[in-house]
Amino acid sequence: MAVIVDEEIRGVSPKSGRFARNSRKMSGTVKLTCVQLLMVAFATLITMSSAGLQYGFYNASCPNAEQMVTSVVNGLIDANPAVAPALIRLIFHDCFVAGCDASILLDPRSANSSPEKTSIPLAVAGYNAVDQIKTAVEAACPGTVSCADIVAFAARDSVAKAAGYYYSVDSGRRDGSVSTAFSILTNMPSPLFNRSDLVARFIQKKLTVVDLVALSGAHSIGVAHCSAFTKRLYPTVDPTLDATFAADLKKRCPAPARGVPDNLVNNSVVTPAILGNQYYGNAMGKKVLFNSDATLLTGSDTATLVSQMAADPAKWIAQFAVSMVNMGRIGVLTGTQGQVRKNCRVVNS
């Protein structure tokens, strides 16, 4: 029997009011079955100490750390909804490149003029949001909460605002001191990747095909630069693109040439401000921007998962939560490894 649950469990918990409002926008009111909720709880609980992380890591050292992060994130998103996709994107790019160590946040310096962020066109709003969160947390608990954990908490809270559901995040990450633009090439999935490339990259990060398809749903929100997909429009239109959709994209994205602006386009034409399973309907309708999205339909396993997640918002929500936690454990530094930066943009001196 399907039930709407409004109390927190370890892993994911719909927020009773906001969840109901946003889920109706997704595909009618989402109802999580007891089995699906237990799946999330079990999958999360059995790996509570995974990679040296733990739930409630700051309970003693900074008891209000997560609440402070949530408060700042909620305020920023209320003022500017674009902050939500920016923070969600930030954890993807941080974790995949060098592990979840906040290396994506490091600014160019004389000792390193080309850190990761110089090769990834992420929204400034995400970086600025982390700065504001760090300032608030440092004022209460100096030198205690890592930037890497702030990125993970902020992504979780952004999902709660944009999709209306909440999942718990384990913590105890430490901040790295190495960040190189070159590492993007060998670690970050490209929007140009085919299915085989994507699967291989996810396996490299010890993630599964299910994680791949579930996390791709983040492309239901936010924007993308035309340059990430114009090869599907010019010189000829990719046959896996809906013709009308392609014609509309061409109006926004002219053929690449010197002096032509690299415009921004909504990831989803249907629900651009809602993180939800509409992405999978868009994929099946040939209305997704990236080759890496369209290619999910070229393999029987990934295509089946796309179809299932398009048909069942609760299935996607449950798996998305588990996959976000899985991704947040890639290559983490814990214990005495790394450091806790005082300023997320600069390695401690």
Side-chain angles (χ1 to χ4, degrees):
M1 179 180 67
V3 293
I4 295 178
V5 177
D6 62 0
E7 60 183 13
E8 180 176 338
I9 64 169
R10 179 72 69 192
V12 60
S13 66
K15 296 289 192 180
S16 55
R18 185 168 64 247
F19 176 82
R21 289 195 296 274
N22 282 356
S23 58
R24 287 190 193 101
K25 295 176 186 175
M26 288 164 57
S27 292
T29 301
V30 175
K31 296 183 179 181
L32 298 181
T33 66
C34 292
V35 171
Q36 288 164 328
L37 287 169
L38 286 171
M39 178 191 79
V40 179
F42 179 72
T44 307
L45 281 169
I46 61 175
T47 52
M48 284 183 65
S49 299
S50 177
L53 304 178
Q54 65 185 70
Y55 290 97
F57 180 82
Y58 297 106
N59 283 354
S61 60
C62 190
N64 295 320
E66 294 194 46
Q67 292 92 324
M68 284 188 284
V69 174
T70 299
S71 178
V72 175
V73 170
N74 286 349
L76 291 172
I77 295 174
D78 286 341
N80 177 14
V83 170
L87 287 172
I88 294 170
R89 207 77 73 231
L90 201 59
I91 191 171
F92 276 77
H93 289 78
D94 183 42
C95 292
F96 262 89
V97 177
C100 308
D101 67 348
S103 55
I104 187 67
L105 304 177
L106 292 173
D107 280 344
R109 297 283 165 177
S110 57
N112 180 14
S113 60
S114 300
E116 294 167 27
K117 65 168 53 174
T118 60
S119 292
I120 304 177
L122 297 180
V124 173
Y127 295 120
N128 291 343
V130 171
D131 289 340
Q132 293 186 52
I133 297 166
K134 181 64 170 175
T135 297
V137 173
E138 281 292 304
C141 308
T144 303
V145 182
S146 70
C147 300
D149 277 340
I150 286 175
V151 169
F153 293 149
R156 181 265 317 277
D157 295 332
S158 296
V159 169
K161 288 287 281 186
Y165 68 93
Y166 180 95
Y167 59 94
S168 294
V169 171
D170 46 4
S171 49
R173 298 168 187 80
R174 304 267 289 179
D175 300 325
S177 58
V178 177
S179 181
T180 63
F182 178 78
S183 61
I184 303 297
L185 299 176
T186 55
N187 289 283
M188 196 66 208
S190 165
L192 304 178
F193 272 9
N194 61 33
R195 181 193 164 282
S196 296
D197 294 332
L198 287 172
V199 171
R201 187 57 50 87
F202 270 67
I203 290 174
Q204 176 189 349
K205 302 301 177 180
K206 298 183 180 179
L207 298 177
T208 68
V209 170
V210 176
D211 292 322
L212 162 62
V213 178
L215 292 173
S216 294
H219 287 166
S220 62
I221 193 172
V223 295
H225 286 275
C226 292
S227 57
F229 58 86
T230 47
K231 287 187 177 181
R232 301 186 71 204
L233 300 174
Y234 304 100
T236 58
V237 173
D238 184 335
T240 65
L241 269 175
D242 174 82
T244 301
F245 180 58
D248 290 340
L249 288 177
K250 281 188 168 185
K251 295 175 184 177
R252 183 65 181 163
C253 300
R258 185 182 297 275
V260 171
D262 191 9
N263 294 327
L264 291 170
V265 176
N266 287 328
N267 274 326
S268 173
V269 296
V270 182
T271 55
I274 299 173
L275 178 65
N277 75 320
Q278 179 61 49
Y279 163 83
Y280 302 98
N282 293 347
M284 294 173 70
K286 300 182 179 181
K287 295 180 180 180
V288 285
L289 300 180
F290 308 130
N291 186 71
S292 58
D293 294 326
T295 196
L296 295 179
L297 298 177
T298 62
S300 60
D301 53 352
T302 50
T304 296
L305 287 166
V306 168
S307 178
Q308 291 173 348
M309 292 181 187
D312 189 349
K315 180 181 179 65
W316 172 72
I317 284 174
Q319 184 57 54
F320 185 82
V322 173
S323 295
M324 284 291 282
V325 172
N326 290 344
M327 182 179 67
R329 294 169 174 164
I330 297 174
V332 296
L333 303 175
T334 58
T336 59
Q337 298 173 316
Q339 60 183 222
V340 175
R341 288 185 216 138
K342 299 175 183 178
N343 178 339
C344 290
R345 294 175 179 264
V346 185
V347 174
N348 295 344
S349 57

Coordinates of all heavy atoms in Angstrom, one line a residue, residues 29-74:
T29 N 1.0 13.8 -7.0 CA 1.6 13.6 -5.7 C 2.4 12.3 -5.7 O 1.9 11.3 -5.9 CB 0.5 13.6 -4.7 OG1 -0.3 14.8 -4.7 CG2 1.1 13.4 -3.3
V30 N 3.7 12.5 -5.3 CA 4.5 11.3 -5.2 C 4.2 10.6 -3.9 O 4.2 11.1 -2.9 CB 6.0 11.7 -5.2 CG1 6.9 10.5 -5.0 CG2 6.4 12.4 -6.5
K31 N 4.0 9.3 -4.0 CA 3.8 8.4 -2.9 C 4.9 7.4 -2.7 O 5.1 6.6 -3.6 CB 2.4 7.7 -3.0 CG 1.3 8.7 -3.0 CD -0.1 8.0 -3.0 CE -1.2 9.0 -3.0 NZ -2.5 8.4 -3.0
L32 N 5.6 7.4 -1.7 CA 6.7 6.5 -1.4 C 6.1 5.3 -0.7 O 5.5 5.4 0.3 CB 7.8 7.1 -0.6 CG 8.5 8.3 -1.1 CD1 9.6 8.8 -0.2 CD2 9.1 8.0 -2.5
T33 N 6.3 4.1 -1.3 CA 5.9 2.9 -0.7 C 6.8 2.6 0.5 O 8.0 3.0 0.5 CB 5.9 1.7 -1.7 OG1 7.2 1.4 -2.0 CG2 5.0 2.0 -2.9
C34 N 6.3 1.8 1.4 CA 7.1 1.3 2.5 C 8.4 0.6 2.1 O 9.4 0.8 2.6 CB 6.3 0.4 3.5 SG 4.9 1.3 4.3
V35 N 8.2 -0.2 1.0 CA 9.4 -0.9 0.5 C 10.4 0.0 0.0 O 11.6 -0.1 0.2 CB 8.9 -1.9 -0.6 CG1 10.1 -2.5 -1.3 CG2 8.0 -3.0 -0.1
Q36 N 10.0 1.1 -0.8 CA 11.0 2.0 -1.3 C 11.7 2.8 -0.2 O 12.9 3.0 -0.2 CB 10.3 3.0 -2.3 CG 9.9 2.3 -3.6 CD 8.9 3.1 -4.3 OE1 8.0 3.8 -3.8 NE2 9.0 3.0 -5.7
L37 N 10.9 3.2 0.8 CA 11.5 3.9 1.9 C 12.5 3.0 2.7 O 13.6 3.5 3.1 CB 10.5 4.4 2.9 CG 9.6 5.6 2.4 CD1 8.4 5.8 3.2 CD2 10.5 6.9 2.3
L38 N 12.2 1.8 2.9 CA 13.1 0.9 3.6 C 14.3 0.6 2.8 O 15.4 0.4 3.3 CB 12.3 -0.5 3.9 CG 11.3 -0.4 5.0 CD1 10.5 -1.7 5.0 CD2 12.0 -0.1 6.3
M39 N 14.2 0.6 1.4 CA 15.3 0.4 0.5 C 16.3 1.5 0.8 O 17.5 1.2 0.9 CB 14.9 0.4 -0.9 CG 16.0 0.3 -1.9 SD 15.5 0.6 -3.6 CE 15.6 2.4 -3.6
V40 N 15.9 2.7 0.8 CA 16.8 3.9 1.0 C 17.4 3.8 2.4 O 18.6 3.9 2.6 CB 16.0 5.2 0.9 CG1 17.0 6.4 1.2 CG2 15.4 5.3 -0.5
A41 N 16.6 3.5 3.4 CA 17.1 3.4 4.8 C 18.1 2.3 4.9 O 19.2 2.5 5.5 CB 15.9 3.2 5.8
F42 N 17.8 1.2 4.4 CA 18.7 0.0 4.5 C 20.0 0.3 3.7 O 21.1 0.1 4.3 CB 18.1 -1.2 4.0 CG 19.0 -2.5 4.0 CD1 19.2 -3.0 5.2 CD2 19.5 -3.0 2.9 CE1 20.0 -4.2 5.3 CE2 20.3 -4.1 3.0 CZ 20.6 -4.7 4.2
A43 N 19.9 0.8 2.5 CA 21.1 1.0 1.7 C 22.0 2.0 2.4 O 23.2 2.0 2.2 CB 20.7 1.5 0.3
T44 N 21.4 3.0 3.1 CA 22.3 4.0 3.7 C 22.8 3.5 5.0 O 24.0 3.7 5.3 CB 21.4 5.3 4.0 OG1 20.8 5.7 2.8 CG2 22.3 6.4 4.5
L45 N 22.0 2.8 5.8 CA 22.5 2.4 7.1 C 23.6 1.4 7.1 O 24.5 1.4 7.9 CB 21.3 1.8 7.9 CG 20.3 2.8 8.5 CD1 19.1 2.1 9.0 CD2 21.0 3.5 9.7
I46 N 23.6 0.5 6.1 CA 24.6 -0.6 6.0 C 25.9 0.0 5.7 O 26.9 -0.7 5.8 CB 24.2 -1.7 5.0 CG1 24.1 -1.1 3.6 CG2 22.9 -2.4 5.4 CD1 23.8 -2.2 2.5
T47 N 26.0 1.2 5.2 CA 27.3 1.8 4.9 C 27.5 3.1 5.7 O 28.2 4.0 5.3 CB 27.3 2.2 3.4 OG1 26.2 3.0 3.0 CG2 27.4 0.9 2.5
M48 N 27.0 3.1 6.9 CA 27.1 4.3 7.8 C 28.5 4.8 8.0 O 28.8 5.9 8.1 CB 26.4 4.1 9.1 CG 24.9 4.2 9.0 SD 24.1 4.0 10.6 CE 24.7 5.5 11.5
S49 N 29.4 3.8 8.1 CA 30.8 4.2 8.4 C 31.7 4.1 7.1 O 32.9 4.0 7.2 CB 31.4 3.2 9.4 OG 30.6 3.4 10.6
S50 N 31.0 4.1 5.9 CA 31.7 3.9 4.7 C 32.7 5.0 4.5 O 32.5 6.2 4.8 CB 30.7 4.0 3.5 OG 31.4 3.9 2.3
A51 N 33.9 4.7 4.1 CA 35.0 5.6 3.8 C 35.4 6.4 5.0 O 36.0 7.5 4.8 CB 34.6 6.5 2.6
G52 N 35.1 6.0 6.2 CA 35.5 6.8 7.4 C 34.6 7.9 7.7 O 34.9 8.7 8.6
L53 N 33.5 8.0 7.0 CA 32.5 9.0 7.3 C 31.4 8.5 8.3 O 31.3 7.3 8.5 CB 31.8 9.5 6.0 CG 32.7 9.9 4.9 CD1 31.8 10.3 3.7 CD2 33.5 11.1 5.3
Q54 N 30.7 9.4 8.9 CA 29.6 9.0 9.8 C 28.5 10.0 9.9 O 28.8 11.2 9.6 CB 30.2 8.7 11.3 CG 30.7 10.0 11.9 CD 31.4 9.7 13.3 OE1 32.5 9.1 13.3 NE2 30.8 10.1 14.3
Y55 N 27.4 9.6 10.2 CA 26.3 10.5 10.4 C 26.4 11.2 11.8 O 26.8 10.7 12.7 CB 24.9 9.8 10.3 CG 24.6 9.3 8.9 CD1 24.9 8.0 8.6 CD2 24.1 10.1 8.0 CE1 24.7 7.5 7.3 CE2 23.9 9.7 6.7 CZ 24.2 8.4 6.3 OH 24.0 8.0 5.1
G56 N 26.1 12.5 11.8 CA 26.2 13.3 13.0 C 27.6 13.5 13.4 O 27.9 13.7 14.6
F57 N 28.5 13.6 12.5 CA 30.0 13.8 12.8 C 30.2 15.0 13.7 O 31.1 15.0 14.5 CB 30.7 13.9 11.5 CG 32.2 14.1 11.6 CD1 33.0 13.0 11.9 CD2 32.8 15.3 11.6 CE1 34.4 13.1 12.0 CE2 34.2 15.5 11.8 CZ 35.0 14.4 12.0
Y58 N 29.4 16.1 13.5 CA 29.7 17.3 14.2 C 28.8 17.5 15.4 O 28.7 18.6 16.0 CB 29.5 18.5 13.2 CG 30.4 18.6 12.1 CD1 30.0 18.2 10.8 CD2 31.8 18.9 12.3 CE1 30.9 18.2 9.8 CE2 32.7 18.9 11.3 CZ 32.3 18.5 10.0 OH 33.1 18.5 8.9
N59 N 28.1 16.4 15.8 CA 27.2 16.5 17.0 C 27.8 17.1 18.2 O 27.2 17.8 19.0 CB 26.6 15.2 17.3 CG 25.5 14.8 16.3 OD1 25.1 15.6 15.4 ND2 25.0 13.6 16.4
A60 N 29.1 16.7 18.4 CA 29.8 17.2 19.6 C 30.6 18.5 19.4 O 30.6 19.4 20.2 CB 30.7 16.1 20.2
S61 N 31.3 18.5 18.2 CA 32.2 19.6 18.0 C 31.5 20.9 17.5 O 32.0 22.0 17.7 CB 33.3 19.2 17.0 OG 32.7 18.8 15.7
C62 N 30.4 20.7 16.8 CA 29.6 21.9 16.3 C 28.2 21.5 16.1 O 27.7 21.2 14.9 CB 30.2 22.4 15.0 SG 29.6 24.0 14.4
P63 N 27.4 21.3 17.2 CA 26.1 20.7 17.1 C 25.1 21.3 16.1 O 24.3 20.6 15.6 CB 25.6 20.9 18.6 CG 26.8 21.1 19.4 CD 27.8 21.8 18.5
N64 N 25.2 22.6 15.8 CA 24.3 23.2 14.9 C 24.8 23.4 13.5 O 24.3 24.2 12.7 CB 23.9 24.6 15.5 CG 23.1 24.5 16.8 OD1 22.3 23.6 17.0 ND2 23.4 25.4 17.8
A65 N 25.9 22.7 13.2 CA 26.5 22.9 11.9 C 25.6 22.7 10.7 O 25.4 23.6 9.9 CB 27.7 22.0 11.8
E66 N 24.9 21.6 10.7 CA 24.0 21.3 9.6 C 22.8 22.2 9.5 O 22.4 22.7 8.4 CB 23.5 19.8 9.6 CG 24.7 18.8 9.4 CD 24.2 17.4 9.2 OE1 23.3 17.3 8.3 OE2 24.7 16.5 9.8
Q67 N 22.3 22.6 10.7 CA 21.2 23.6 10.7 C 21.6 24.9 10.2 O 20.8 25.6 9.5 CB 20.6 23.7 12.2 CG 19.9 22.4 12.7 CD 20.9 21.5 13.4 OE1 22.1 21.4 13.1 NE2 20.4 20.9 14.5
M68 N 22.9 25.3 10.5 CA 23.4 26.6 10.0 C 23.5 26.6 8.5 O 23.1 27.5 7.8 CB 24.7 26.9 10.7 CG 24.6 27.4 12.1 SD 26.2 28.0 12.7 CE 27.0 26.5 13.0
V69 N 24.0 25.5 8.0 CA 24.1 25.3 6.5 C 22.7 25.4 5.9 O 22.5 26.2 4.9 CB 24.8 24.0 6.1 CG1 24.8 23.8 4.6 CG2 26.2 24.0 6.7
T70 N 21.8 24.7 6.4 CA 20.4 24.7 5.9 C 19.8 26.1 5.9 O 19.2 26.5 4.9 CB 19.5 23.7 6.7 OG1 20.0 22.4 6.6 CG2 18.1 23.7 6.2
S71 N 20.0 26.8 7.0 CA 19.4 28.2 7.1 C 20.0 29.1 6.0 O 19.2 29.8 5.4 CB 19.7 28.7 8.5 OG 19.2 30.0 8.6
V72 N 21.3 29.1 5.9 CA 21.9 29.9 4.8 C 21.5 29.5 3.4 O 21.1 30.4 2.6 CB 23.4 29.9 5.0 CG1 24.1 30.8 3.8 CG2 23.9 30.5 6.3
V73 N 21.5 28.2 3.2 CA 21.1 27.8 1.8 C 19.6 28.1 1.5 O 19.3 28.6 0.4 CB 21.3 26.2 1.7 CG1 20.6 25.7 0.4 CG2 22.8 25.9 1.7
N74 N 18.8 27.9 2.5 CA 17.3 28.2 2.2 C 17.2 29.7 1.9 O 16.4 30.1 1.0 CB 16.5 27.8 3.4 CG 16.3 26.3 3.5 OD1 16.6 25.6 2.6 ND2 15.8 25.9 4.7

